[in-house]
Amino acid sequence: MQARMDNPAAHLPDSVKAINILYKSAHSAGVDPATLELVHLRASQINGCAPCAESGARNARKNGETDERLMTVAVWRETPWFTDAERAALALAEHATRLADSPDPVPDPVWDEAAKHFGDRELAALVLWIATTNFFNRINVTTRQQAPQNWG
């Protein structure tokens, strides 16, 4: 498969500034970077975004993530390798990514479990990062961006 076009940010360079601000904001609220990587990877798997799934796994591994965890993010409920906080973040990511799959896309029990492990600032960062990941995924899937990408 071939990309339909260069990454849209290459055509609209001012958009890179906004994207970098979102990225920095989500990563500055105190959520463990490993949790943010897992959330990014899981949403990217759901959305079928090869560049984000590949880069997410590669970056997580570079930052010390284990093969066991990377290989089982898609089945995190069935493995012992994730903390309760990570499980809550992954559940939130799945529900916030699959909005059209349910009349109550992010049910109170999912939110309440995340709120047990994360304060308001951290929850805001998780929600922003999940939304940003879905933003990246939609651009990449729509334009058929290919893995691997060199995003710097």
Side-chain angles (χ1 to χ4, degrees):
M1 189 178 342
Q2 185 173 350
R4 291 179 166 144
M5 66 183 296
D6 292 337
N7 189 306
H11 298 282
L12 302 169
D14 286 344
S15 67
V16 175
K17 294 175 193 171
I19 292 166
N20 285 335
I21 290 169
L22 287 171
Y23 181 94
K24 287 177 184 174
S25 182
H27 284 78
S28 68
V31 178
D32 181 358
T35 301
L36 293 174
E37 290 285 1
L38 293 171
V39 162
H40 175 76
L41 179 56
R42 185 64 191 120
S44 298
Q45 290 170 334
I46 292 167
N47 289 323
C49 182
C52 288
E54 188 274 337
S55 70
R58 185 172 13 95
N59 290 337
R61 184 181 236 195
K62 220 185 288 184
N63 291 318
E65 192 57 80
T66 66
D67 287 342
E68 290 84 6
R69 286 164 46 97
L70 287 175
M71 290 185 288
T72 59
V73 169
V75 293
W76 59 269
R77 287 178 183 83
E78 321 313 327
T79 69
W81 295 303
F82 300 95
T83 68
D84 290 343
E86 290 167 337
R87 291 173 185 282
L90 287 164
L92 182 62
E94 287 183 354
H95 285 272
T97 297
R98 293 180 166 138
L99 295 176
D101 289 354
S102 170
D104 185 13
V106 183
D108 288 340
V110 170
W111 181 264
D112 293 345
E113 185 62 25
K116 284 184 192 175
H117 301 281
F118 302 99
D120 284 349
R121 183 172 164 82
E122 294 167 317
L123 280 169
L126 279 169
V127 170
L128 179 63
W129 187 234
I130 294 163
T132 302
T133 296
N134 279 279
F135 167 77
F136 292 148
N137 294 166
R138 280 154 179 76
I139 290 169
N140 290 330
V141 170
T142 300
T143 61
R144 291 189 178 153
Q145 297 302 304
Q146 300 295 295
Q149 291 283 320
N150 184 15
W151 291 314

